[in-house]
Amino acid sequence: MPYIPFTDEQKILANSVDLEEFLRMRGEKLERVGREHKLIYYDSSGKHDSITLRGSTWFDHKNQVGGGAIKFMQEFYGMDFQTAVQELLGQRVTPLSHSPPKVSAKEEKKEFRLPETNTNMHRVYAYLIKQRFISPDIISHFAKQHTLYEDKEHHNAVFVGIDENGVPRQASKRSTNSYGNSFRITCQGSDTRYSFAHFGESKRLYVFEAPIDMMSFLTLYPKDWQKHSCIAMNGVYENAVLAALKNHSNLSEVILCVDNDEGGIEAVDRLKDILSENGYTDVKRLAPKFKDWNEVLKAKNGVKALPAVPHKRKEEYLKEVSELGYLKCRPDKLTSQIYATFKNGQYKYLAEYALAGSAFFIDKSCEKDMFAKLRAKLKDEYKPYTDKGKKAQKQRALQECMQEVLRDLKRTACTREQSVLTAKMLYQLADNAVRLSVEEALSVPIQEQCEDIDIISEPEPCMEFG
């Protein structure tokens, strides 16, 4: 294809296309989950629903990759940059029949079969005990339940998810090699609504990313563990968690025990939102001191553990919001102040002026106190899983927000409702300004910080078994 010199505006416009609407027009199947949509597609290995969409952004929870609309077209449809931009701008339409095999519109249900069982579990026991330090009693419990065994062909550890009637519906395999590359894979035809789990009689459900994390936690905190319920998601996808809560009416409290890394930190906010929208509001976060619970178990047994991985974008956002200083709002000067700071790229000052203006329009009698409350609100409401756009996309969002605010400020607020609306727009402007400032800060080396206000490094008393 000949090179097409797209303008920056065209590129930004293409990357801002609403993927949900665009994919529906292409005939793709989407399912709504809370504020997001799942993309449902089939390939030779079966049904897939790990990709979630929100507006122009997407995220593949299985492969831990995401981005804007252009990258989606490149990753999912195998298009080059030129073709992707043309498609998104409506300059050309590639028929679905020309799409790669993994986007097949034919919905084929693959038959689920458990891998053949080996006559013993010697390799699985050796791997889980010697390399992963998991308690033999924990291993034996799941082996007796027939939800953990060793496959005959390759001697992998097989973790089984059963339905409410005890019928196997899902299985994942984990290699037990002590050398070479390890792997884990979900068996063909698995139903993602079920996963490796244990269900007790209490109201509490502990949620983990993987079976080994779950078994490691039970090894670390074995007291009365069978009273409670626990489940491994095989990633950070919510399908099995929602099914478990629906099928077990005693469960009402959810403890998210996902990894202490960028993916896990993002998953906490995302899962909290989805659970809340499904009626589950009693949700807590329990973070391992190291990267995951098996690393904690390794450290306890004298093995060097992988450290926790901080979420740089979240930490920088919280830091910058904390540093926003109060500037007394002068309504007659506000328009010129925010316009000048926007034009000069002074995004921190823009956020300060916008937040001060928001506080003024809410309640000018206690403007300074309201500013502090709004600053705390920015920190509390920030969720990094919603902050996936690149710098150009955030510049576009800030520009659009600026235009709306400037138009609004030209009108005199005559009613309380109008003042509140203006305050909300200025608050959004402050948020967009900080997000763009964070993007610029992350483009240069910064000193890493280790503290995250939303993470606790050790179990709280109310979260311990017993």
Side-chain angles (χ1 to χ4, degrees):
M1 171 180 288
Y3 173 74
I4 302 174
F6 293 113
T7 65
D8 288 341
E9 185 176 357
Q10 286 177 311
K11 295 174 185 176
I12 293 173
L13 184 61
N15 211 38
S16 302
V17 166
D18 189 316
L19 282 173
E20 297 164 11
E21 182 179 350
F22 180 83
L23 292 173
R24 279 202 178 93
M25 292 175 63
R26 291 183 65 92
E28 300 289 6
K29 182 178 179 181
L30 303 179
E31 288 183 3
R32 187 170 185 83
V33 181
R35 300 176 187 175
E36 300 176 321
H37 284 80
K38 293 187 297 185
L39 173 64
I40 311 297
Y41 69 91
Y42 293 77
D43 63 14
S44 59
S45 64
K47 179 180 177 180
H48 300 273
D49 56 2
S50 65
I51 296 176
T52 55
L53 310 165
R54 178 180 287 197
S56 62
T57 61
W58 63 280
F59 192 69
D60 185 342
H61 299 277
K62 181 178 180 180
N63 298 310
Q64 292 292 291
V65 63
I70 294 175
K71 186 176 180 182
F72 179 87
M73 301 298 283
Q74 292 175 304
E75 293 282 338
F76 195 73
Y77 288 108
M79 296 179 179
D80 58 33
F81 180 83
Q82 302 284 313
T83 304
V85 173
Q86 280 188 300
E87 288 274 346
L88 292 165
L89 294 178
Q91 296 177 1
R92 60 177 290 170
V93 178
T94 303
L96 279 175
S97 59
H98 291 172
S99 302
K102 71 176 182 179
V103 197
S104 172
K106 185 178 180 182
E107 299 188 1
E108 297 180 4
K109 178 63 179 177
K110 298 295 182 179
E111 183 181 0
F112 172 68
R113 291 182 179 178
L114 286 173
E116 188 176 355
T117 306
N118 194 37
T119 54
N120 60 63
M121 290 181 59
H122 294 166
R123 293 197 189 182
V124 167
Y125 267 92
Y127 169 73
L128 294 177
I129 294 172
K130 295 180 180 179
Q131 295 188 47
R132 296 295 190 162
F133 304 102
I134 294 172
S135 165
D137 291 339
I138 299 296
I139 302 171
S140 295
H141 171 85
F142 290 103
K144 290 176 182 177
Q145 300 296 317
H146 305 292
T147 56
L148 170 61
Y149 68 92
E150 183 175 313
D151 81 333
K152 182 177 181 179
E153 185 176 6
H154 299 293
H155 302 283
N156 298 309
V158 181
F159 301 93
V160 182
I162 58 176
D163 65 15
E164 51 273 18
N165 298 315
V167 179
R169 298 294 187 186
Q170 184 265 4
S172 62
K173 296 187 288 187
R174 176 85 193 205
S175 65
T176 56
N177 294 333
S178 58
Y179 56 88
N181 295 327
S182 62
F183 77 92
R184 60 183 179 185
I185 188 171
T186 300
C187 296
Q188 180 174 285
S190 289
D191 187 336
T192 59
R193 293 175 299 169
Y194 303 98
S195 190
F196 182 71
H198 164 79
F199 294 103
E201 297 179 355
S202 83
K203 66 177 182 178
R204 194 176 300 168
L205 174 65
Y206 290 81
V207 177
F208 301 87
E209 289 192 28
I212 287 178
D213 292 325
M214 176 177 137
M215 297 174 74
S216 298
F217 185 86
L218 300 180
T219 300
L220 289 162
Y221 305 102
K223 184 180 178 182
D224 297 329
W225 71 266
Q226 293 186 44
K227 291 182 179 180
H228 307 291
S229 300
C230 47
I231 191 168
M233 297 182 290
N234 287 321
V236 290
Y237 192 47
E238 73 282 352
N239 216 6
V241 178
L242 293 176
L245 291 168
K246 179 181 178 181
N247 294 329
H248 298 83
S249 58
N250 59 301
L251 297 175
S252 60
E253 178 184 348
V254 181
I255 314 295
L256 300 176
C257 305
V258 294
D259 292 358
N260 197 350
D261 58 11
E262 286 199 1
I265 292 168
E266 290 189 8
V268 169
D269 289 326
R270 180 178 161 275
L271 290 169
K272 280 183 177 180
D273 283 348
I274 292 172
L275 289 167
S276 177
E277 289 166 1
N278 281 272
Y280 299 95
T281 56
D282 189 359
V283 182
K284 300 181 180 67
R285 162 66 157 147
L286 183 57
K289 181 178 180 180
F290 296 96
K291 180 183 177 296
D292 58 44
W293 293 103
N294 191 246
E295 296 300 326
V296 176
L297 192 54
K298 286 180 180 178
K300 185 177 180 180
N301 284 273
V303 176
K304 185 176 180 180
L306 294 175
V309 181
H311 197 294
K312 294 181 181 179
R313 178 168 281 103
K314 181 175 183 177
E315 290 193 350
E316 181 63 23
Y317 182 94
L318 297 178
K319 170 179 171 291
E320 294 203 15
V321 170
S322 297
E323 293 173 350
L324 293 179
Y326 167 69
L327 300 170
K328 185 173 179 58
C329 178
R330 296 183 58 181
D332 58 321
K333 298 281 188 181
L334 186 58
T335 298
S336 60
Q337 288 169 334
I338 64 175
Y339 181 78
T341 51
F342 172 75
K343 279 295 185 183
N344 295 329
Q346 298 171 304
Y347 303 123
K348 177 187 175 184
Y349 292 120
L350 172 57
E352 289 176 334
Y353 284 125
L355 205 61
S358 182
F360 174 85
F361 281 102
I362 292 175
D363 191 347
K364 62 183 179 182
S365 66
C366 57
E367 184 183 324
K368 188 172 183 178
D369 290 340
M370 185 56 64
F371 179 91
K373 290 179 181 178
L374 291 176
R375 185 172 54 194
K377 181 179 171 69
L378 280 175
K379 294 172 68 174
D380 291 340
E381 292 185 341
Y382 178 72
K383 297 171 183 178
Y385 83 91
T386 67
D387 194 12
K388 291 293 186 181
K390 293 186 178 180
K391 184 177 179 180
Q393 189 174 347
K394 292 180 181 179
Q395 286 175 325
R396 176 85 174 189
L398 180 62
Q399 182 178 0
E400 291 175 353
C401 192
M402 268 291 299
Q403 291 171 346
E404 291 181 7
V405 168
L406 292 177
R407 282 195 297 267
D408 183 78
L409 290 176
K410 288 180 180 179
R411 299 189 294 266
T412 303
C414 300
T415 66
R416 175 61 181 166
E417 290 75 16
Q418 290 174 325
S419 293
V420 170
L421 179 60
T422 299
K424 288 181 178 179
M425 295 173 67
L426 286 164
Y427 175 85
Q428 188 62 50
L429 180 63
D431 177 54
N432 284 335
V434 175
R435 290 184 186 226
L436 186 52
S437 178
V438 167
E439 207 63 39
E440 292 195 336
L442 293 178
S443 65
V444 295
I446 59 173
Q447 183 177 358
E448 293 188 1
Q449 300 180 16
C450 299
E451 186 176 348
D452 190 313
I453 63 170
D454 288 344
I455 291 179
I456 52 176
S457 59
E458 291 296 333
E460 295 177 352
C462 67
M463 295 181 188
E464 294 178 354
F465 292 128

